[in-house]
């Protein structure tokens, strides 16, 4: 008699918040730790070796993104956002102190511009979005053209509902630089060839190390370091760079871009399956653009239920998902993204598929979902 195989392994369906390191990155990480331990700013042999590795990592990233090496800098994910957007303000001091952003920007962008606004006694201008979470390009351009605007910030795609923003061809007024938050999408979507001055990326979006971020500053951009330190962009903001992390991130990005067409076609098909099943549930709203979106992500909201309860019960069934805005879920605050879209702000589930998510895992998830939602609604008396 064959031994009992036991319950299926836990299915991690929260890749947008963190995913296993890409095998290509894992393969180079040990060697990078062995060779890249020294300070790459040092003049001795180990330092020069570390500098060579770091420069190689920047070269690989630049080639993957269609940039030059001197436009790519490794830092932490939060520092990339803060230094990127505030550096454009600092580099454009005569323009004014106002900032324009969409109502669905990530909390990291909102916090950075909010900090700047409080120091300057101004209020950032938020431009609304439609029911799919997409900002109106004409309204965004008009807001950016107001007197005193020093910077405009817009995400490449939304981190919570996946909707792609109309960044390409945005054509902002002369003298207003665009900060592009690609933290949720770099490696998954191509960067626009022009129209932006600085951008930020987060290695988790391409299965790289979670502590590695990218600060991208275009040649010719009017950017100045907004914090104490050297005025020009620096790896790690002028601190000690994580050489091994940078090399692993570069390897993961290179591999992700190479396999993107195949992996994302499969993930789109699986996400479409989840969207279709979620849409059949009573009093359930599937949010975000159904087509022009990130390939691996879907969010839906179930009326009368708590997102926290859904996440907890799905975890008990063997599925790891997220609820609410990834940056506010721990505080149980309603999602500002869903609120801006006019969607349900509670009872929402965000599912994001990793490169290794299988069809069997997704089929188990969509089979379990209707019964779970029905049971939870019965328990609350519906």
């Amino acid at each position: 008699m064959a031994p009992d195989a036991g319950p299926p392994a836990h299915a991690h369906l929260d890749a947008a918040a963190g995913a296993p390191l890409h095998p290509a990155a894992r393969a180079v990480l040990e060697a990078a730790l062995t060779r890249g331990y020294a300070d790459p700013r040092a003049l001795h042999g180990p330092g020069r070796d570390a500098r060579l590795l770091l420069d190689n990592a920047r070269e690989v990233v630049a080639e993957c993104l269609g940039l030059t090496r001197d436009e790519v800098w490794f830092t932490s994910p939060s520092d990339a956002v803060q230094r990127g957007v505030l550096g454009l303000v600092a580099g454009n001091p005569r323009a004014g102190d106002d900032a324009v952003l969409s109502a669905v920007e990530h909390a990291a962008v909102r916090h950075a511009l909010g900090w700047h606004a409080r120091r300057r006694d101004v209020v950032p201008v938020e431009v609304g979005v439609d029911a799919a979470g997409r900002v109106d390009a004409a309204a965004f351009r008009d807001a950016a053209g107001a007197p005193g605007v020093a910077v405009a910030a817009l995400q490449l795609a939304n981190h919570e509902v996946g909707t792609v923003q109309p960044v390409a061809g945005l054509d902002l007024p002369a003298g207003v630089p665009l900060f592009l938050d690609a933290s949720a999408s770099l490696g998954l979507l191509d960067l626009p060839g022009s129209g932006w001055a600085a951008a930020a990326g987060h290695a988790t979006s391409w299965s790289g190390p979670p502590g590695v971020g990218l600060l991208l500053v275009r040649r010719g951009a009017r950017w100045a370091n907004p914090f104490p330190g050297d005025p020009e962009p620096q790896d790690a903001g002028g601190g000690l760079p994580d050489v091994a992390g940078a090399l692993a991130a570069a390897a993961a990005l290179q591999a992700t871009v190479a396999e993107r067409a195949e992996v994302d076609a499969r993930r789109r098909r699986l996400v479409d399956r989840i969207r279709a099943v979620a849409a059949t549930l009573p009093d359930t709203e599937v949010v975000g653009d159904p087509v022009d979106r990130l390939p691996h992500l879907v969010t839906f909201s179930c009326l009368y239920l708590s997102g926290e309860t859904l996440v907890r019960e799905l975890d008990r069934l063997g599925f790891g998902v997220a609820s609410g805005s990834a940056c506010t879920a721990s505080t149980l605050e309603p999602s500002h993204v869903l609120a801006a879209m006019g969607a349900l702000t509670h009872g929402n589930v965000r599912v994001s598929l990793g490169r290794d998510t299988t069809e069997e895992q997704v089929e188990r998830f969509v089979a379990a979902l209707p019964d779970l939602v029905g049971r939870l609604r019965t328990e609350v008396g519906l």
Side-chain angles (χ1 to χ4, degrees):
M1 184 174 181
D4 185 359
H10 194 277
H12 182 66
L13 306 179
D14 190 21
L21 198 62
H22 196 290
R26 195 179 299 275
V28 304
L29 189 56
E30 184 175 354
L33 288 168
T34 301
R35 288 186 55 196
Y37 61 86
D39 185 345
R41 302 165 301 184
L43 299 180
H44 49 61
R48 295 195 303 272
D49 202 23
R51 168 50 63 183
L52 179 62
L53 291 177
L54 188 60
D55 285 345
N56 285 345
R58 290 173 62 200
E59 191 72 52
V60 168
V61 169
E63 183 177 356
C64 290
L65 301 181
L67 304 174
T68 61
R69 191 175 73 179
D70 60 355
E71 294 176 311
V72 174
W73 306 93
F74 290 100
T75 185
S76 73
S78 59
D79 184 75
V81 170
Q82 295 167 1
R83 206 174 291 270
V85 65
L86 296 178
L88 294 177
V89 178
N92 202 12
R94 295 188 215 172
D97 293 310
D98 291 347
V100 172
L101 68 161
S102 81
V104 293
E105 293 305 305
H106 192 277
V109 175
R110 292 159 62 91
H111 292 165
L113 290 176
W115 173 81
H116 163 75
R118 289 189 296 273
R119 293 174 66 239
R120 298 295 188 180
D121 194 26
V122 296
V123 178
V125 176
E126 289 194 2
V127 180
V129 298
D130 62 18
R134 182 173 292 105
V135 73
D136 182 278
F140 195 85
R141 283 195 298 269
D142 290 345
V149 173
V151 68
L154 185 61
Q155 58 200 200
L156 184 56
N158 187 261
H159 56 287
E160 193 169 335
V161 302
T163 299
V164 175
Q165 298 294 351
V167 175
L170 194 57
D171 193 23
L172 292 181
V176 179
L178 177 66
F179 171 75
L180 186 62
D181 182 18
S183 300
S185 52
L186 206 60
L188 306 177
L189 302 177
D190 291 331
L191 286 170
S194 61
W196 56 276
H202 192 319
T204 56
S205 72
W206 65 83
S207 299
V212 177
L214 288 179
L215 170 61
L216 311 174
V217 180
R218 300 305 304 268
R219 280 183 175 178
R222 298 179 64 180
W223 185 97
N225 186 1
F227 306 132
D230 293 334
E232 298 300 318
Q234 301 276 321
D235 287 308
L240 183 61
D242 177 5
V243 176
L247 204 64
L253 179 60
Q254 187 177 50
T256 295
V257 170
E259 68 188 16
R260 185 169 66 185
E262 177 185 353
V263 171
D264 286 355
R266 177 175 56 82
R267 292 198 291 190
R268 279 189 179 275
R269 177 171 53 82
L270 295 177
V271 164
D272 286 342
R273 173 74 171 133
I274 297 171
R275 292 180 67 93
V277 171
T280 67
L281 301 178
D283 297 315
T284 297
E285 180 182 15
V286 184
V287 296
D289 193 291
V291 178
D292 195 12
R293 58 169 172 82
L294 290 173
H296 67 311
L297 187 150
V298 57
T299 293
F300 54 90
S301 299
C302 301
L303 191 61
Y304 312 121
L305 296 182
S306 156
E308 181 187 12
T309 299
L310 284 164
V311 169
R312 184 177 63 246
E313 292 301 311
L314 282 167
D315 184 54
R316 291 178 59 182
L317 293 174
F319 306 102
V321 300
S323 178
S325 177
C327 44
T328 59
S330 61
T331 65
L332 303 183
E333 294 179 9
S335 160
H336 74 276
V337 171
L338 297 179
M341 295 167 59
L344 295 174
T345 59
H346 294 283
N348 59 83
V349 171
R350 185 187 72 174
V351 178
S352 49
L353 310 184
R355 62 183 297 276
D356 295 322
T357 301
T358 66
E359 184 170 356
E360 183 271 337
Q361 290 173 325
V362 169
E363 287 302 321
R364 282 198 291 116
F365 176 77
V366 298
L369 190 61
D371 289 343
L372 173 62
V373 171
R375 174 172 65 82
L376 293 177
R377 284 179 171 156
T378 300
E379 290 175 359
V380 296
L382 296 174

